């Protein structure tokens, strides 16, 4: 009786004439498109501009690929350096070998550069991209299926993956750890989407949740793998890395919730699509206009209330009063002279 299993492709390359289409690279490309598509939708829902996620991904993706390859080559240096090895193989990324830890770390550096150029906060952008990154990993893991790598212990389960004989591997059926991790990443994506809607995560906490949840799954899946790896205290290096990164993600989540509760109100300046000026510049211009308008109004009021130079509105009434008062005094003195006049005549 034949045992059911998942067959592996006989080759990981399909040739269209002289152009080779490699399954591993194809899965990575699909993952990038999925991450950017979902991240763009989430970014717009948060109040950002369409296309911003893709613009920053132009920086993050190349940095991530370099970081992922560097991590793999450094942690598995024995595959590329030493007797009987060709160091040129370290550059053959299409043959597999990307470390997610290095991809996230160096990809974050590229994303930081892109965010600085656009004037937006990196944590908000990372929150929007988090579930898309999980789905990108789910797609990328199927590239390991094309290359017949990253499988677990031998098993006769119906969902076992068939591995053919090759360098450093024996033919047989094994646990499809690439499939386990792919399904786990899909679950992580839905978890982050649900938690973000339910609790309004912000300031990088959705991204921290994605990292912590992924590390939990990566830890137990790593125990099942049988490929060559370095060990520390009898534990695979990637297990220790998962534990360390998990702790960092949880600490960040807790501290961020205490120091910066809630969610960012504005994730991108001038997201309404005006003239493209930074919000701070717009405020500065508004303040300048207000000041200029105030000065103009004050000047107009001053000019409107000013009197002509040759008119003396306050002095004229006073002068008239003095004239009238002098006339009254003169009239009072005049009768006294007239009364004395007859006596003078008599004399």
């Amino acid at each position: 009786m034949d045992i059911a299993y998942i067959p592996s492709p006989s080759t990981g390359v399909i040739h269209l004439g002289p152009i080779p289409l490699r399954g591993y690279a194809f899965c990575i490309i699909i993952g990038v498109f999925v991450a950017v598509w979902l991240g763009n939708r989430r970014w717009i829902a948060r109040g950002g501009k369409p296309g911003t996620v893709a613009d920053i991904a132009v920086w993050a993706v190349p940095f991530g690929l370099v970081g992922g390859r560097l991590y793999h080559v450094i942690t598995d240096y024995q595959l590329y350096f030493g007797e009987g090895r060709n160091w040129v193989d370290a550059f053959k990324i299409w043959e597999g070998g990307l470390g997610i830890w290095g991809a996230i770390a160096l990809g974050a550096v590229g994303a930081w550069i892109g965010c600085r150029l656009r004037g937006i906060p990196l944590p908000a952008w990372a929150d929007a991209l988090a579930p898309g990154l999980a789905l990108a990993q789910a797609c990328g893991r199927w590239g390991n299926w094309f290359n017949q790598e990253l499988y677990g212990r031998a098993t006769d389960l119906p969902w076992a993956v068939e591995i053919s004989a090759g360098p450093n591997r024996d033919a047989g059926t094994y646990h499809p750890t690439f499939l386990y991790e792919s399904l786990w990443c899909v679950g992580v994506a839905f978890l982050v989407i649900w938690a973000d809607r339910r609790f309004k995560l912000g300031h990088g906490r959705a991204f921290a949740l994605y990292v912590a949840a992924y590390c939990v799954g990566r830890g137990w899946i790593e125990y099942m793998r049988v490929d060559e790896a370095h060990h520390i205290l009898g534990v695979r290096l990637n297990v220790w890395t998962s534990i360390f990164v998990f702790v960092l993600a949880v600490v960040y989540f807790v501290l961020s919730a205490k120091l910066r509760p809630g969610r960012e109100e504005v994730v991108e300046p001038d997201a309404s699509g005006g003239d493209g000026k930074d919000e701070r510049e717009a405020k500065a211009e508004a303040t300048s206009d207000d000041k200029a308008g105030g000065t103009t109004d004050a000047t107009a009021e001053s000019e409107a209330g000013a009197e002509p130079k040759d008119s003396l509105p306050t002095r004229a009434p006073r002068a008239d009063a003095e004239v009238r008062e002098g006339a009254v005094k003169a009239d009072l003195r005049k009768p006294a002279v007239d009364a004395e006049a007859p006596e003078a005549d008599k004399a």
Side-chain angles (χ1 to χ4, degrees):
M1 179 178 179
D2 294 335
I3 300 176
Y5 56 83
I6 301 172
S8 292
S10 57
T11 179
V13 184
I14 299 176
H15 292 273
L16 293 180
I19 302 176
L21 298 179
R22 303 183 183 277
Y24 187 86
F26 191 62
C27 292
I28 296 295
I29 293 174
I30 292 177
V32 171
F33 275 103
V34 169
V36 172
W37 171 79
L38 181 57
N40 184 65
R41 288 174 59 90
R42 287 171 52 81
W43 183 252
I44 295 174
R46 290 283 302 275
K49 297 179 184 178
T52 297
V53 170
D55 292 342
I56 297 175
V58 171
W59 288 90
V61 172
F63 274 76
L65 291 175
V66 173
R69 189 60 176 178
L70 282 175
Y71 181 88
H72 169 73
V73 172
I74 291 173
T75 56
D76 290 319
Y77 62 88
Q78 73 281 354
L79 300 177
Y80 307 100
F81 305 99
E83 186 177 357
R85 300 292 183 177
N86 186 2
W87 63 270
V88 178
D89 293 338
F91 297 94
K92 297 179 179 179
I93 191 173
W94 56 86
E95 294 183 354
L98 286 175
I100 184 61
W101 315 114
I104 294 295
L106 206 55
V109 175
W112 177 79
I113 296 174
C115 288
R116 290 280 294 179
L117 293 176
R118 292 297 295 263
I120 64 177
L122 174 61
W125 184 84
D127 282 343
L129 200 67
L133 285 176
L135 293 179
Q137 288 179 253
C139 296
R141 275 308 176 200
W142 282 90
N144 303 128
W145 176 63
F146 280 99
N147 288 349
Q148 298 194 36
E149 58 186 0
L150 301 189
Y151 47 86
R153 297 184 296 270
T155 182
D156 57 358
L157 292 171
W159 57 82
V161 62
E162 180 190 29
I163 299 296
S164 60
N168 301 320
R169 71 186 186 209
D170 298 325
T173 56
Y174 301 86
H175 276 284
T177 53
F178 74 90
L179 175 61
Y180 299 160
E181 186 168 337
S182 179
L183 294 176
W184 181 267
C185 288
V186 172
V188 170
F190 282 106
L191 171 66
V192 174
I193 293 174
W194 170 82
D196 194 26
R197 290 179 178 177
R198 176 66 176 80
F199 302 104
K200 303 296 182 183
L201 302 177
H203 301 286
R205 289 189 289 277
F207 184 81
L209 176 61
Y210 145 70
V211 172
Y214 171 75
C215 290
V216 172
R218 180 62 183 269
W220 69 265
I221 292 172
E222 193 73 23
Y223 269 112
M224 303 179 66
R225 289 171 53 172
V226 294
D227 53 307
E228 185 179 359
H230 294 285
H231 290 72
I232 299 177
L233 300 178
V235 179
R236 291 171 67 98
L237 175 61
N238 281 331
V239 175
W240 286 112
T241 305
S242 298
I243 295 173
F244 177 73
V245 176
F246 171 81
V247 172
L248 289 181
V250 171
V251 170
Y252 177 89
F253 190 98
V254 174
L255 292 180
S256 176
K258 291 183 178 181
L259 298 177
R260 307 188 70 181
R263 176 187 282 184
E264 300 92 338
E265 295 183 0
V266 178
V267 296
E268 187 170 6
D270 192 33
S272 59
D275 57 2
K277 294 181 180 179
D278 187 84
E279 185 179 10
R280 289 172 295 182
E281 295 180 2
K283 289 183 178 179
E285 291 182 0
T287 304
S288 177
D289 293 342
D290 291 342
K291 291 181 178 179
T295 303
T296 303
D297 294 342
T299 304
E301 292 177 0
S302 176
E303 293 177 354
E307 294 289 340
K309 292 182 180 180
D310 55 350
S311 63
L312 300 174
T314 56
R315 294 180 181 178
R318 183 176 180 183
D320 293 341
E322 291 177 351
V323 171
R324 287 194 297 271
E325 185 178 358
V328 172
K329 291 180 179 180
D331 292 339
L332 293 175
R333 289 195 298 269
K334 184 175 181 180
V337 175
D338 293 342
E340 296 176 354
E343 295 180 0
D345 293 340
K346 292 176 180 180

